[in-house]
Amino acid sequence: MRIAGNQGDNVALLKIHHHPDPVLKQVAEPVASFDGDLRKLAEDMLETMYAAPGVGLAAPQVGVSRRLIVLDCGPKEQRQPIVAVNPVILDGEGSCCEEEGCLSVPGYYARVERREKVRVSFQDLDGRERQMEAEGLWAICFQHEIDHLDGILFVDHLSPLKKSLFRKKYRKILEQMEEQL
Ligand code: NI
C-alpha cells in the first residue's frame, strides 16, 4: 500500500510483523552503509509508525533485521521524529514502571520496569555520531525499541506468572484477529 508523503514522493506503509514471528527474536545486524536505501527505510518506518499510530518502531518489526529504530514521543500536533541507527544505551538512572504496548503484540498492555533516564548514543542517517539524554516516555521508548534489536519484546520482562497469563490472553487475541481477516 502506498500513500503520498510530505515531500510529494511516495512513502510506503510497511507490514508490521506480529509476535510470534521469528524475525522479532533475532539479534539484528549493525547498519554499515548510510545510503539512500537506509533513508527510504527510515522514512517508510516513520510513516508506518505515525499511521499505526505508535510512538516507536524498530526495523525487525517490519521484517528487517538491522539496528535501526524510529521514535516520536512528542506532542501529536508537532512532529519530532528521531531516527537512531546502531543505538546503544550508555547509562541510565532511576527506575519507573509504566504501562507499555507494542505494535508487534497487538491488544496487550502491561507495566514494565525500566530506567527513568537514559543516555543514548547512535548514528544519524549520514553516519554522524549523536548523543541524547532521554527521560519520561522518550527514555522508555528508547529502551523498548533497542530491546527489539536484541530480539527482546516487552512481554519478555514480565514475571513468570504474568507471562503465562499473557500467553493465554494473546492466543485469544490472535484467534480473534484471524477471524476478522
Ligand atoms: Ni515494540
Side-chain angles (χ1 to χ4, degrees), residues 48-177:
T48 303
M49 178 190 83
Y50 286 126
V55 293
L57 191 65
Q61 295 182 272
V62 295
V64 180
S65 195
R66 291 276 155 75
R67 303 191 80 83
L68 164 68
I69 61 173
V70 299
L71 316 80
D72 189 344
C73 302
K76 269 206 180 84
E77 319 80 61
Q78 196 188 342
R79 286 192 177 186
Q80 284 178 264
I82 298 266
V83 175
V85 184
N86 300 322
V88 177
I89 291 173
L90 299 174
D91 49 50
E93 61 179 86
S95 70
C96 60
C97 194
E98 297 292 334
E99 192 164 75
E100 296 183 26
C102 178
L103 296 175
S104 293
V105 187
Y108 192 80
Y109 300 86
R111 288 184 178 275
V112 177
E113 199 167 327
R114 303 277 189 190
R115 306 314 296 270
E116 195 175 12
K117 289 182 187 175
V118 288
R119 199 155 55 90
V120 188
S121 82
F122 57 88
Q123 286 164 283
D124 65 16
L125 286 171
D126 297 311
R128 281 186 297 247
E129 294 287 341
R130 306 263 171 187
Q131 267 196 29
M132 202 177 141
E133 310 244 347
E135 58 182 299
L137 184 57
W138 284 100
I140 292 168
C141 197
F142 265 111
Q143 293 167 85
H144 177 120
E145 301 311 329
I146 291 173
D147 265 357
H148 273 300
L149 305 182
D150 294 318
I152 298 166
L153 299 174
F154 79 102
V155 290
D156 292 326
H157 292 289
L158 301 178
S159 68
L161 175 64
K162 282 194 175 160
K163 248 182 232 170
S164 71
L165 291 172
F166 159 70
R167 282 194 206 100
K168 270 187 213 149
K169 190 170 178 202
Y170 191 64
R171 211 173 296 140
K172 285 187 190 141
I173 291 168
L174 285 185
E175 280 166 13
Q176 281 170 359
M177 284 174 65

